[in-house]
Amino acid sequence: EDKVVQSPLSLVVHEGDTVTLNCSYEVTNFRSLLWYKQEKKAPTFLFMLTSSGIEKKSGRLSSILDKKELFSILNITATQTGDSAVYLCAVPPGGGADGLTFGKGTHLIIQP
Amino acid sequence: SAVISQKPSRDICQRGTSLTIQCQVDSQVTMMFWYRQQPGQSLTLIATANQGSEATYESGFVIDKFPISRPNLTFSTLTVSNMSPEDSSIYLCSVDRPLGRTDTQYFGPGTRLTVL
């Protein structure tokens, strides 16, 4: 059974801090790993990672994948209160189906 | 990214009744999915909505409880039948592979359901 484990489950930091969120996974026939940000209801897509060691960047957010150690990290630098959200990591299953298996998420709170 | 709308955005329902949630996409998509997010939990896949055939349900979800329709490539409905308070959740539809993209799923705005 595919598995996604995120840590920490919650994190409180001050504005301006840098945070690192972790995601480890177990899936047969790995295809990709996705990061989402969920503020109210709908998760919004951040990154899709398929290759080890290649960093994806978008502004203050970046993410990298390690396929040998089966994990990914999401970094947010110079955090702002608007970064407060639940960050979700997900993988498509390896068995040929197409739905996503999600981790429990990291609830990030940025204090002013 | 695809523009996805869901109706209703929220509802409060009585135990034993049914609610149908609609999901509309602004472009033809190959795959549509329905997820549930119970309070304080992550997203769990309910089923894949297949155009022109029956939906494919994940373990723990059955057609009698969550009938799904997918009449064309831009629209799907999920019905939550014979509701109980345990069905109180956010229900989300998502789409996979809009034209020109692969593997990324985009989510609709969600329907927050409360069952009394």
Side-chain angles (χ1 to χ4, degrees), chain A residues 31-32 36 38 41-42 45 48 88 98-100 102-103, chain B residues 9 31 33 35 37 42 97 103-105 107-110:
Chain A
R31 284 169 17 203
S32 62
Y36 288 87
Q38 185 178 31
K41 290 189 292 187
F45 171 74
M48 182 177 80
L88 296 163
D98 293 281
L100 294 174
F102 281 86
Chain B
S9 61
M31 313 285 283
F33 305 92
Y35 290 83
Q37 187 174 31
S42 192
R97 304 194 184 98
D103 243 7
T104 304
Q105 285 192 19
F107 286 82

mmCIF file with all atom_site columns, all heavy atoms in Angstrom, chain A residues 31-32 36 38 41-42 45 48 88 98-100 102-103, chain B residues 9 31 33 35 37 42 97 103-105 107-110:
data_model
loop_
_atom_site.group_PDB
_atom_site.id
_atom_site.type_symbol
_atom_site.label_atom_id
_atom_site.label_alt_id
_atom_site.label_comp_id
_atom_site.label_asym_id
_atom_site.label_entity_id
_atom_site.label_seq_id
_atom_site.pdbx_PDB_ins_code
_atom_site.Cartn_x
_atom_site.Cartn_y
_atom_site.Cartn_z
_atom_site.occupancy
_atom_site.B_iso_or_equiv
_atom_site.pdbx_formal_charge
_atom_site.auth_seq_id
_atom_site.auth_comp_id
_atom_site.auth_asym_id
_atom_site.auth_atom_id
_atom_site.pdbx_PDB_model_num
ATOM 1   N N   . ARG A 1 31  ? 6.315   7.737  -9.941  1.00 0.00 ? 31  ARG A N   1
ATOM 2   C CA  . ARG A 1 31  ? 6.205   8.600  -11.123 1.00 0.00 ? 31  ARG A CA  1
ATOM 3   C C   . ARG A 1 31  ? 6.549   10.040 -10.788 1.00 0.00 ? 31  ARG A C   1
ATOM 4   O O   . ARG A 1 31  ? 7.283   10.714 -11.507 1.00 0.00 ? 31  ARG A O   1
ATOM 5   C CB  . ARG A 1 31  ? 4.784   8.547  -11.688 1.00 0.00 ? 31  ARG A CB  1
ATOM 6   C CG  . ARG A 1 31  ? 4.488   7.310  -12.446 1.00 0.00 ? 31  ARG A CG  1
ATOM 7   C CD  . ARG A 1 31  ? 3.056   7.074  -12.804 1.00 0.00 ? 31  ARG A CD  1
ATOM 8   N NE  . ARG A 1 31  ? 2.138   8.173  -12.742 1.00 0.00 ? 31  ARG A NE  1
ATOM 9   C CZ  . ARG A 1 31  ? 0.836   7.995  -12.594 1.00 0.00 ? 31  ARG A CZ  1
ATOM 10  N NH1 . ARG A 1 31  ? 0.348   6.778  -12.447 1.00 0.00 ? 31  ARG A NH1 1
ATOM 11  N NH2 . ARG A 1 31  ? 0.014   9.015  -12.576 1.00 0.00 ? 31  ARG A NH2 1
ATOM 12  N N   . SER A 1 32  ? 5.955   10.524 -9.703  1.00 0.00 ? 32  SER A N   1
ATOM 13  C CA  . SER A 1 32  ? 6.149   11.940 -9.368  1.00 0.00 ? 32  SER A CA  1
ATOM 14  C C   . SER A 1 32  ? 5.716   12.165 -7.934  1.00 0.00 ? 32  SER A C   1
ATOM 15  O O   . SER A 1 32  ? 5.082   11.313 -7.313  1.00 0.00 ? 32  SER A O   1
ATOM 16  C CB  . SER A 1 32  ? 5.342   12.836 -10.311 1.00 0.00 ? 32  SER A CB  1
ATOM 17  O OG  . SER A 1 32  ? 3.960   12.566 -10.187 1.00 0.00 ? 32  SER A OG  1
ATOM 18  N N   . TYR A 1 36  ? 1.208   20.666 -2.452  1.00 0.00 ? 36  TYR A N   1
ATOM 19  C CA  . TYR A 1 36  ? 0.071   21.563 -2.517  1.00 0.00 ? 36  TYR A CA  1
ATOM 20  C C   . TYR A 1 36  ? 0.026   22.440 -1.270  1.00 0.00 ? 36  TYR A C   1
ATOM 21  O O   . TYR A 1 36  ? 0.495   22.044 -0.207  1.00 0.00 ? 36  TYR A O   1
ATOM 22  C CB  . TYR A 1 36  ? -1.250  20.773 -2.574  1.00 0.00 ? 36  TYR A CB  1
ATOM 23  C CG  . TYR A 1 36  ? -1.520  20.063 -3.871  1.00 0.00 ? 36  TYR A CG  1
ATOM 24  C CD1 . TYR A 1 36  ? -1.035  18.779 -4.100  1.00 0.00 ? 36  TYR A CD1 1
ATOM 25  C CD2 . TYR A 1 36  ? -2.265  20.666 -4.872  1.00 0.00 ? 36  TYR A CD2 1
ATOM 26  C CE1 . TYR A 1 36  ? -1.290  18.120 -5.292  1.00 0.00 ? 36  TYR A CE1 1
ATOM 27  C CE2 . TYR A 1 36  ? -2.540  20.004 -6.073  1.00 0.00 ? 36  TYR A CE2 1
ATOM 28  C CZ  . TYR A 1 36  ? -2.039  18.742 -6.267  1.00 0.00 ? 36  TYR A CZ  1
ATOM 29  O OH  . TYR A 1 36  ? -2.295  18.092 -7.453  1.00 0.00 ? 36  TYR A OH  1
ATOM 30  N N   . GLN A 1 38  ? -2.860  24.336 1.098   1.00 0.00 ? 38  GLN A N   1
ATOM 31  C CA  . GLN A 1 38  ? -4.298  24.372 1.342   1.00 0.00 ? 38  GLN A CA  1
ATOM 32  C C   . GLN A 1 38  ? -4.581  25.422 2.409   1.00 0.00 ? 38  GLN A C   1
ATOM 33  O O   . GLN A 1 38  ? -4.173  25.276 3.558   1.00 0.00 ? 38  GLN A O   1
ATOM 34  C CB  . GLN A 1 38  ? -4.823  23.004 1.782   1.00 0.00 ? 38  GLN A CB  1
ATOM 35  C CG  . GLN A 1 38  ? -6.332  22.953 1.925   1.00 0.00 ? 38  GLN A CG  1
ATOM 36  C CD  . GLN A 1 38  ? -6.841  21.580 2.311   1.00 0.00 ? 38  GLN A CD  1
ATOM 37  O OE1 . GLN A 1 38  ? -6.172  20.817 2.989   1.00 0.00 ? 38  GLN A OE1 1
ATOM 38  N NE2 . GLN A 1 38  ? -8.044  21.240 1.866   1.00 0.00 ? 38  GLN A NE2 1
ATOM 39  N N   . LYS A 1 41  ? -10.346 25.618 1.524   1.00 0.00 ? 41  LYS A N   1
ATOM 40  C CA  . LYS A 1 41  ? -10.852 24.312 1.108   1.00 0.00 ? 41  LYS A CA  1
ATOM 41  C C   . LYS A 1 41  ? -9.987  23.681 0.028   1.00 0.00 ? 41  LYS A C   1
ATOM 42  O O   . LYS A 1 41  ? -9.571  22.539 0.140   1.00 0.00 ? 41  LYS A O   1
ATOM 43  C CB  . LYS A 1 41  ? -12.303 24.450 0.616   1.00 0.00 ? 41  LYS A CB  1
ATOM 44  C CG  . LYS A 1 41  ? -13.307 24.765 1.722   1.00 0.00 ? 41  LYS A CG  1
ATOM 45  C CD  . LYS A 1 41  ? -14.747 24.678 1.250   1.00 0.00 ? 41  LYS A CD  1
ATOM 46  C CE  . LYS A 1 41  ? -15.095 25.768 0.277   1.00 0.00 ? 41  LYS A CE  1
ATOM 47  N NZ  . LYS A 1 41  ? -16.548 25.808 -0.065  1.00 0.00 ? 41  LYS A NZ  1
ATOM 48  N N   . ALA A 1 42  ? -9.747  24.419 -1.045  1.00 0.00 ? 42  ALA A N   1
ATOM 49  C CA  . ALA A 1 42  ? -9.120  23.793 -2.211  1.00 0.00 ? 42  ALA A CA  1
ATOM 50  C C   . ALA A 1 42  ? -7.605  23.811 -2.118  1.00 0.00 ? 42  ALA A C   1
ATOM 51  O O   . ALA A 1 42  ? -6.999  24.863 -1.924  1.00 0.00 ? 42  ALA A O   1
ATOM 52  C CB  . ALA A 1 42  ? -9.556  24.512 -3.483  1.00 0.00 ? 42  ALA A CB  1
ATOM 53  N N   . PHE A 1 45  ? -1.925  23.913 -6.344  1.00 0.00 ? 45  PHE A N   1
ATOM 54  C CA  . PHE A 1 45  ? -0.730  23.214 -6.780  1.00 0.00 ? 45  PHE A CA  1
ATOM 55  C C   . PHE A 1 45  ? 0.503   24.103 -6.619  1.00 0.00 ? 45  PHE A C   1
ATOM 56  O O   . PHE A 1 45  ? 0.492   25.287 -6.969  1.00 0.00 ? 45  PHE A O   1
ATOM 57  C CB  . PHE A 1 45  ? -0.908  22.807 -8.240  1.00 0.00 ? 45  PHE A CB  1
ATOM 58  C CG  . PHE A 1 45  ? 0.326   22.255 -8.885  1.00 0.00 ? 45  PHE A CG  1
ATOM 59  C CD1 . PHE A 1 45  ? 0.766   20.984 -8.579  1.00 0.00 ? 45  PHE A CD1 1
ATOM 60  C CD2 . PHE A 1 45  ? 1.040   23.013 -9.791  1.00 0.00 ? 45  PHE A CD2 1
ATOM 61  C CE1 . PHE A 1 45  ? 1.896   20.465 -9.177  1.00 0.00 ? 45  PHE A CE1 1
ATOM 62  C CE2 . PHE A 1 45  ? 2.171   22.507 -10.393 1.00 0.00 ? 45  PHE A CE2 1
ATOM 63  C CZ  . PHE A 1 45  ? 2.607   21.231 -10.089 1.00 0.00 ? 45  PHE A CZ  1
ATOM 64  N N   . MET A 1 48  ? 5.562   19.929 -8.931  1.00 0.00 ? 48  MET A N   1
ATOM 65  C CA  . MET A 1 48  ? 5.637   18.512 -9.244  1.00 0.00 ? 48  MET A CA  1
ATOM 66  C C   . MET A 1 48  ? 7.104   18.160 -9.450  1.00 0.00 ? 48  MET A C   1
ATOM 67  O O   . MET A 1 48  ? 7.802   18.845 -10.203 1.00 0.00 ? 48  MET A O   1
ATOM 68  C CB  . MET A 1 48  ? 4.854   18.166 -10.505 1.00 0.00 ? 48  MET A CB  1
ATOM 69  C CG  . MET A 1 48  ? 4.881   16.679 -10.805 1.00 0.00 ? 48  MET A CG  1
ATOM 70  S SD  . MET A 1 48  ? 3.897   16.216 -12.228 1.00 0.00 ? 48  MET A SD  1
ATOM 71  C CE  . MET A 1 48  ? 4.979   16.653 -13.576 1.00 0.00 ? 48  MET A CE  1
ATOM 72  N N   . LEU A 1 88  ? 0.530   20.107 1.804   1.00 0.00 ? 88  LEU A N   1
ATOM 73  C CA  . LEU A 1 88  ? 0.259   18.697 1.553   1.00 0.00 ? 88  LEU A CA  1
ATOM 74  C C   . LEU A 1 88  ? 1.228   18.148 0.524   1.00 0.00 ? 88  LEU A C   1
ATOM 75  O O   . LEU A 1 88  ? 1.540   18.798 -0.471  1.00 0.00 ? 88  LEU A O   1
ATOM 76  C CB  . LEU A 1 88  ? -1.166  18.519 1.018   1.00 0.00 ? 88  LEU A CB  1
ATOM 77  C CG  . LEU A 1 88  ? -2.301  18.913 1.970   1.00 0.00 ? 88  LEU A CG  1
ATOM 78  C CD1 . LEU A 1 88  ? -3.604  19.089 1.203   1.00 0.00 ? 88  LEU A CD1 1
ATOM 79  C CD2 . LEU A 1 88  ? -2.470  17.865 3.052   1.00 0.00 ? 88  LEU A CD2 1
ATOM 80  N N   . ASP A 1 98  ? -4.805  6.562  -11.098 1.00 0.00 ? 98  ASP A N   1
ATOM 81  C CA  . ASP A 1 98  ? -4.406  7.952  -11.240 1.00 0.00 ? 98  ASP A CA  1
ATOM 82  C C   . ASP A 1 98  ? -4.778  8.855  -10.094 1.00 0.00 ? 98  ASP A C   1
ATOM 83  O O   . ASP A 1 98  ? -4.441  10.011 -10.121 1.00 0.00 ? 98  ASP A O   1
ATOM 84  C CB  . ASP A 1 98  ? -5.014  8.520  -12.531 1.00 0.00 ? 98  ASP A CB  1
ATOM 85  C CG  . ASP A 1 98  ? -4.409  7.871  -13.750 1.00 0.00 ? 98  ASP A CG  1
ATOM 86  O OD1 . ASP A 1 98  ? -3.301  8.262  -14.126 1.00 0.00 ? 98  ASP A OD1 1
ATOM 87  O OD2 . ASP A 1 98  ? -5.037  6.947  -14.290 1.00 0.00 ? 98  ASP A OD2 1
ATOM 88  N N   . GLY A 1 99  ? -5.472  8.389  -9.102  1.00 0.00 ? 99  GLY A N   1
ATOM 89  C CA  . GLY A 1 99  ? -5.763  9.241  -7.956  1.00 0.00 ? 99  GLY A CA  1
ATOM 90  C C   . GLY A 1 99  ? -4.500  9.496  -7.178  1.00 0.00 ? 99  GLY A C   1
ATOM 91  O O   . GLY A 1 99  ? -3.474  8.870  -7.402  1.00 0.00 ? 99  GLY A O   1
ATOM 92  N N   . LEU A 1 100 ? -4.534  10.425 -6.236  1.00 0.00 ? 100 LEU A N   1
ATOM 93  C CA  . LEU A 1 100 ? -3.368  10.768 -5.434  1.00 0.00 ? 100 LEU A CA  1
ATOM 94  C C   . LEU A 1 100 ? -3.507  10.216 -4.021  1.00 0.00 ? 100 LEU A C   1
ATOM 95  O O   . LEU A 1 100 ? -4.600  10.194 -3.462  1.00 0.00 ? 100 LEU A O   1
ATOM 96  C CB  . LEU A 1 100 ? -3.197  12.289 -5.351  1.00 0.00 ? 100 LEU A CB  1
ATOM 97  C CG  . LEU A 1 100 ? -2.867  13.014 -6.660  1.00 0.00 ? 100 LEU A CG  1
ATOM 98  C CD1 . LEU A 1 100 ? -2.870  14.511 -6.447  1.00 0.00 ? 100 LEU A CD1 1
ATOM 99  C CD2 . LEU A 1 100 ? -1.533  12.549 -7.213  1.00 0.00 ? 100 LEU A CD2 1
ATOM 100 N N   . PHE A 1 102 ? -2.353  11.185 -0.358  1.00 0.00 ? 102 PHE A N   1
ATOM 101 C CA  . PHE A 1 102 ? -1.881  12.364 0.351   1.00 0.00 ? 102 PHE A CA  1
ATOM 102 C C   . PHE A 1 102 ? -1.309  12.007 1.713   1.00 0.00 ? 102 PHE A C   1
ATOM 103 O O   . PHE A 1 102 ? -1.758  11.061 2.370   1.00 0.00 ? 102 PHE A O   1
ATOM 104 C CB  . PHE A 1 102 ? -3.041  13.347 0.577   1.00 0.00 ? 102 PHE A CB  1
ATOM 105 C CG  . PHE A 1 102 ? -3.385  14.175 -0.617  1.00 0.00 ? 102 PHE A CG  1
ATOM 106 C CD1 . PHE A 1 102 ? -4.259  13.698 -1.586  1.00 0.00 ? 102 PHE A CD1 1
ATOM 107 C CD2 . PHE A 1 102 ? -2.831  15.428 -0.793  1.00 0.00 ? 102 PHE A CD2 1
ATOM 108 C CE1 . PHE A 1 102 ? -4.568  14.455 -2.700  1.00 0.00 ? 102 PHE A CE1 1
ATOM 109 C CE2 . PHE A 1 102 ? -3.143  16.200 -1.902  1.00 0.00 ? 102 PHE A CE2 1
ATOM 110 C CZ  . PHE A 1 102 ? -4.016  15.717 -2.848  1.00 0.00 ? 102 PHE A CZ  1
ATOM 111 N N   . GLY A 1 103 ? -0.313  12.800 2.131   1.00 0.00 ? 103 GLY A N   1
ATOM 112 C CA  . GLY A 1 103 ? 0.104   12.766 3.513   1.00 0.00 ? 103 GLY A CA  1
ATOM 113 C C   . GLY A 1 103 ? -0.878  13.552 4.370   1.00 0.00 ? 103 GLY A C   1
ATOM 114 O O   . GLY A 1 103 ? -1.814  14.170 3.856   1.00 0.00 ? 103 GLY A O   1
ATOM 115 N N   . SER B 2 9   ? -21.284 25.395 -2.707  1.00 0.00 ? 9   SER B N   1
ATOM 116 C CA  . SER B 2 9   ? -20.014 25.601 -2.003  1.00 0.00 ? 9   SER B CA  1
ATOM 117 C C   . SER B 2 9   ? -20.114 25.101 -0.566  1.00 0.00 ? 9   SER B C   1
ATOM 118 O O   . SER B 2 9   ? -19.113 24.730 0.044   1.00 0.00 ? 9   SER B O   1
ATOM 119 C CB  . SER B 2 9   ? -19.621 27.077 -2.020  1.00 0.00 ? 9   SER B CB  1
ATOM 120 O OG  . SER B 2 9   ? -20.606 27.844 -1.362  1.00 0.00 ? 9   SER B OG  1
ATOM 121 N N   . MET B 2 31  ? -9.347  12.734 -16.879 1.00 0.00 ? 31  MET B N   1
ATOM 122 C CA  . MET B 2 31  ? -9.733  12.101 -15.621 1.00 0.00 ? 31  MET B CA  1
ATOM 123 C C   . MET B 2 31  ? -10.347 13.129 -14.682 1.00 0.00 ? 31  MET B C   1
ATOM 124 O O   . MET B 2 31  ? -9.884  14.259 -14.585 1.00 0.00 ? 31  MET B O   1
ATOM 125 C CB  . MET B 2 31  ? -8.511  11.497 -14.924 1.00 0.00 ? 31  MET B CB  1
ATOM 126 C CG  . MET B 2 31  ? -7.599  10.681 -15.810 1.00 0.00 ? 31  MET B CG  1
ATOM 127 S SD  . MET B 2 31  ? -8.284  9.083  -16.190 1.00 0.00 ? 31  MET B SD  1
ATOM 128 C CE  . MET B 2 31  ? -7.959  8.225  -14.672 1.00 0.00 ? 31  MET B CE  1
ATOM 129 N N   . PHE B 2 33  ? -11.732 13.221 -10.496 1.00 0.00 ? 33  PHE B N   1
ATOM 130 C CA  . PHE B 2 33  ? -11.662 12.485 -9.241  1.00 0.00 ? 33  PHE B CA  1
ATOM 131 C C   . PHE B 2 33  ? -12.506 13.180 -8.184  1.00 0.00 ? 33  PHE B C   1
ATOM 132 O O   . PHE B 2 33  ? -12.684 14.394 -8.212  1.00 0.00 ? 33  PHE B O   1
ATOM 133 C CB  . PHE B 2 33  ? -10.218 12.418 -8.726  1.00 0.00 ? 33  PHE B CB  1
ATOM 134 C CG  . PHE B 2 33  ? -9.243  11.853 -9.711  1.00 0.00 ? 33  PHE B CG  1
ATOM 135 C CD1 . PHE B 2 33  ? -8.550  12.693 -10.565 1.00 0.00 ? 33  PHE B CD1 1
ATOM 136 C CD2 . PHE B 2 33  ? -9.006  10.496 -9.775  1.00 0.00 ? 33  PHE B CD2 1
ATOM 137 C CE1 . PHE B 2 33  ? -7.639  12.180 -11.480 1.00 0.00 ? 33  PHE B CE1 1
ATOM 138 C CE2 . PHE B 2 33  ? -8.094  9.973  -10.672 1.00 0.00 ? 33  PHE B CE2 1
ATOM 139 C CZ  . PHE B 2 33  ? -7.419  10.813 -11.533 1.00 0.00 ? 33  PHE B CZ  1
ATOM 140 N N   . TYR B 2 35  ? -12.658 13.527 -3.929  1.00 0.00 ? 35  TYR B N   1
ATOM 141 C CA  . TYR B 2 35  ? -11.959 13.308 -2.667  1.00 0.00 ? 35  TYR B CA  1
ATOM 142 C C   . TYR B 2 35  ? -12.850 13.758 -1.521  1.00 0.00 ? 35  TYR B C   1
ATOM 143 O O   . TYR B 2 35  ? -13.721 14.623 -1.678  1.00 0.00 ? 35  TYR B O   1
ATOM 144 C CB  . TYR B 2 35  ? -10.661 14.126 -2.606  1.00 0.00 ? 35  TYR B CB  1
ATOM 145 C CG  . TYR B 2 35  ? -9.561  13.665 -3.522  1.00 0.00 ? 35  TYR B CG  1
ATOM 146 C CD1 . TYR B 2 35  ? -9.535  14.043 -4.862  1.00 0.00 ? 35  TYR B CD1 1
ATOM 147 C CD2 . TYR B 2 35  ? -8.521  12.871 -3.040  1.00 0.00 ? 35  TYR B CD2 1
ATOM 148 C CE1 . TYR B 2 35  ? -8.515  13.637 -5.698  1.00 0.00 ? 35  TYR B CE1 1
ATOM 149 C CE2 . TYR B 2 35  ? -7.492  12.463 -3.874  1.00 0.00 ? 35  TYR B CE2 1
ATOM 150 C CZ  . TYR B 2 35  ? -7.494  12.850 -5.198  1.00 0.00 ? 35  TYR B CZ  1
ATOM 151 O OH  . TYR B 2 35  ? -6.482  12.442 -6.021  1.00 0.00 ? 35  TYR B OH  1
ATOM 152 N N   . GLN B 2 37  ? -12.418 15.139 2.584   1.00 0.00 ? 37  GLN B N   1
ATOM 153 C CA  . GLN B 2 37  ? -11.501 15.572 3.646   1.00 0.00 ? 37  GLN B CA  1
ATOM 154 C C   . GLN B 2 37  ? -12.313 15.767 4.913   1.00 0.00 ? 37  GLN B C   1
ATOM 155 O O   . GLN B 2 37  ? -13.038 16.754 5.066   1.00 0.00 ? 37  GLN B O   1
ATOM 156 C CB  . GLN B 2 37  ? -10.771 16.863 3.266   1.00 0.00 ? 37  GLN B CB  1
ATOM 157 C CG  . GLN B 2 37  ? -9.701  17.249 4.269   1.00 0.00 ? 37  GLN B CG  1
ATOM 158 C CD  . GLN B 2 37  ? -8.887  18.433 3.815   1.00 0.00 ? 37  GLN B CD  1
ATOM 159 O OE1 . GLN B 2 37  ? -9.386  19.306 3.108   1.00 0.00 ? 37  GLN B OE1 1
ATOM 160 N NE2 . GLN B 2 37  ? -7.613  18.495 4.220   1.00 0.00 ? 37  GLN B NE2 1
ATOM 161 N N   . SER B 2 42  ? -6.450  14.555 6.251   1.00 0.00 ? 42  SER B N   1
ATOM 162 C CA  . SER B 2 42  ? -5.998  14.861 4.900   1.00 0.00 ? 42  SER B CA  1
ATOM 163 C C   . SER B 2 42  ? -7.028  14.384 3.878   1.00 0.00 ? 42  SER B C   1
ATOM 164 O O   . SER B 2 42  ? -8.096  13.886 4.238   1.00 0.00 ? 42  SER B O   1
ATOM 165 C CB  . SER B 2 42  ? -4.647  14.203 4.640   1.00 0.00 ? 42  SER B CB  1
ATOM 166 O OG  . SER B 2 42  ? -4.090  14.718 3.458   1.00 0.00 ? 42  SER B OG  1
ATOM 167 N N   . ARG B 2 97  ? -4.440  15.924 -15.839 1.00 0.00 ? 97  ARG B N   1
ATOM 168 C CA  . ARG B 2 97  ? -4.043  16.044 -17.239 1.00 0.00 ? 97  ARG B CA  1
ATOM 169 C C   . ARG B 2 97  ? -4.986  16.895 -18.088 1.00 0.00 ? 97  ARG B C   1
ATOM 170 O O   . ARG B 2 97  ? -5.487  16.421 -19.092 1.00 0.00 ? 97  ARG B O   1
ATOM 171 C CB  . ARG B 2 97  ? -3.913  14.663 -17.892 1.00 0.00 ? 97  ARG B CB  1
ATOM 172 C CG  . ARG B 2 97  ? -2.960  13.755 -17.177 1.00 0.00 ? 97  ARG B CG  1
ATOM 173 C CD  . ARG B 2 97  ? -2.612  12.563 -18.006 1.00 0.00 ? 97  ARG B CD  1
ATOM 174 N NE  . ARG B 2 97  ? -1.772  11.654 -17.269 1.00 0.00 ? 97  ARG B NE  1
ATOM 175 C CZ  . ARG B 2 97  ? -2.209  10.578 -16.637 1.00 0.00 ? 97  ARG B CZ  1
ATOM 176 N NH1 . ARG B 2 97  ? -3.489  10.270 -16.666 1.00 0.00 ? 97  ARG B NH1 1
ATOM 177 N NH2 . ARG B 2 97  ? -1.387  9.813  -15.968 1.00 0.00 ? 97  ARG B NH2 1
ATOM 178 N N   . ASP B 2 103 ? 0.170   14.481 -15.101 1.00 0.00 ? 103 ASP B N   1
ATOM 179 C CA  . ASP B 2 103 ? 0.330   14.070 -13.708 1.00 0.00 ? 103 ASP B CA  1
ATOM 180 C C   . ASP B 2 103 ? -0.101  15.083 -12.659 1.00 0.00 ? 103 ASP B C   1
ATOM 181 O O   . ASP B 2 103 ? -0.254  14.747 -11.514 1.00 0.00 ? 103 ASP B O   1
ATOM 182 C CB  . ASP B 2 103 ? 1.788   13.677 -13.408 1.00 0.00 ? 103 ASP B CB  1
ATOM 183 C CG  . ASP B 2 103 ? 1.886   12.214 -13.017 1.00 0.00 ? 103 ASP B CG  1
ATOM 184 O OD1 . ASP B 2 103 ? 0.862   11.519 -13.112 1.00 0.00 ? 103 ASP B OD1 1
ATOM 185 O OD2 . ASP B 2 103 ? 2.969   11.767 -12.640 1.00 0.00 ? 103 ASP B OD2 1
ATOM 186 N N   . THR B 2 104 ? -0.257  16.322 -13.010 1.00 0.00 ? 104 THR B N   1
ATOM 187 C CA  . THR B 2 104 ? -0.644  17.304 -12.009 1.00 0.00 ? 104 THR B CA  1
ATOM 188 C C   . THR B 2 104 ? -2.157  17.308 -11.878 1.00 0.00 ? 104 THR B C   1
ATOM 189 O O   . THR B 2 104 ? -2.875  17.283 -12.876 1.00 0.00 ? 104 THR B O   1
ATOM 190 C CB  . THR B 2 104 ? -0.183  18.705 -12.435 1.00 0.00 ? 104 THR B CB  1
ATOM 191 O OG1 . THR B 2 104 ? 1.221   18.663 -12.652 1.00 0.00 ? 104 THR B OG1 1
ATOM 192 C CG2 . THR B 2 104 ? -0.502  19.735 -11.373 1.00 0.00 ? 104 THR B CG2 1
ATOM 193 N N   . GLN B 2 105 ? -2.650  17.336 -10.648 1.00 0.00 ? 105 GLN B N   1
ATOM 194 C CA  . GLN B 2 105 ? -4.088  17.427 -10.436 1.00 0.00 ? 105 GLN B CA  1
ATOM 195 C C   . GLN B 2 105 ? -4.436  18.815 -9.919  1.00 0.00 ? 105 GLN B C   1
ATOM 196 O O   . GLN B 2 105 ? -3.747  19.370 -9.070  1.00 0.00 ? 105 GLN B O   1
ATOM 197 C CB  . GLN B 2 105 ? -4.558  16.378 -9.428  1.00 0.00 ? 105 GLN B CB  1
ATOM 198 C CG  . GLN B 2 105 ? -4.593  14.977 -10.022 1.00 0.00 ? 105 GLN B CG  1
ATOM 199 C CD  . GLN B 2 105 ? -5.330  13.995 -9.149  1.00 0.00 ? 105 GLN B CD  1
ATOM 200 O OE1 . GLN B 2 105 ? -6.118  14.350 -8.284  1.00 0.00 ? 105 GLN B OE1 1
ATOM 201 N NE2 . GLN B 2 105 ? -5.071  12.718 -9.378  1.00 0.00 ? 105 GLN B NE2 1
ATOM 202 N N   . PHE B 2 107 ? -7.566  21.169 -8.243  1.00 0.00 ? 107 PHE B N   1
ATOM 203 C CA  . PHE B 2 107 ? -8.737  20.941 -7.420  1.00 0.00 ? 107 PHE B CA  1
ATOM 204 C C   . PHE B 2 107 ? -9.770  22.040 -7.576  1.00 0.00 ? 107 PHE B C   1
ATOM 205 O O   . PHE B 2 107 ? -9.438  23.213 -7.752  1.00 0.00 ? 107 PHE B O   1
ATOM 206 C CB  . PHE B 2 107 ? -8.327  20.847 -5.942  1.00 0.00 ? 107 PHE B CB  1
ATOM 207 C CG  . PHE B 2 107 ? -7.654  19.543 -5.617  1.00 0.00 ? 107 PHE B CG  1
ATOM 208 C CD1 . PHE B 2 107 ? -6.305  19.367 -5.874  1.00 0.00 ? 107 PHE B CD1 1
ATOM 209 C CD2 . PHE B 2 107 ? -8.376  18.494 -5.088  1.00 0.00 ? 107 PHE B CD2 1
ATOM 210 C CE1 . PHE B 2 107 ? -5.681  18.162 -5.602  1.00 0.00 ? 107 PHE B CE1 1
ATOM 211 C CE2 . PHE B 2 107 ? -7.767  17.283 -4.799  1.00 0.00 ? 107 PHE B CE2 1
ATOM 212 C CZ  . PHE B 2 107 ? -6.419  17.121 -5.055  1.00 0.00 ? 107 PHE B CZ  1
ATOM 213 N N   . GLY B 2 108 ? -11.025 21.629 -7.483  1.00 0.00 ? 108 GLY B N   1
ATOM 214 C CA  . GLY B 2 108 ? -12.104 22.585 -7.405  1.00 0.00 ? 108 GLY B CA  1
ATOM 215 C C   . GLY B 2 108 ? -12.118 23.250 -6.043  1.00 0.00 ? 108 GLY B C   1
ATOM 216 O O   . GLY B 2 108 ? -11.370 22.866 -5.147  1.00 0.00 ? 108 GLY B O   1
ATOM 217 N N   . PRO B 2 109 ? -13.006 24.234 -5.855  1.00 0.00 ? 109 PRO B N   1
ATOM 218 C CA  . PRO B 2 109 ? -13.032 25.003 -4.608  1.00 0.00 ? 109 PRO B CA  1
ATOM 219 C C   . PRO B 2 109 ? -13.604 24.239 -3.425  1.00 0.00 ? 109 PRO B C   1
ATOM 220 O O   . PRO B 2 109 ? -13.504 24.700 -2.298  1.00 0.00 ? 109 PRO B O   1
ATOM 221 C CB  . PRO B 2 109 ? -13.904 26.215 -4.959  1.00 0.00 ? 109 PRO B CB  1
ATOM 222 C CG  . PRO B 2 109 ? -14.748 25.760 -6.094  1.00 0.00 ? 109 PRO B CG  1
ATOM 223 C CD  . PRO B 2 109 ? -13.932 24.780 -6.865  1.00 0.00 ? 109 PRO B CD  1
ATOM 224 N N   . GLY B 2 110 ? -14.203 23.075 -3.669  1.00 0.00 ? 110 GLY B N   1
ATOM 225 C CA  . GLY B 2 110 ? -14.692 22.256 -2.563  1.00 0.00 ? 110 GLY B CA  1
ATOM 226 C C   . GLY B 2 110 ? -16.109 22.580 -2.142  1.00 0.00 ? 110 GLY B C   1
ATOM 227 O O   . GLY B 2 110 ? -16.632 23.677 -2.371  1.00 0.00 ? 110 GLY B O   1
#
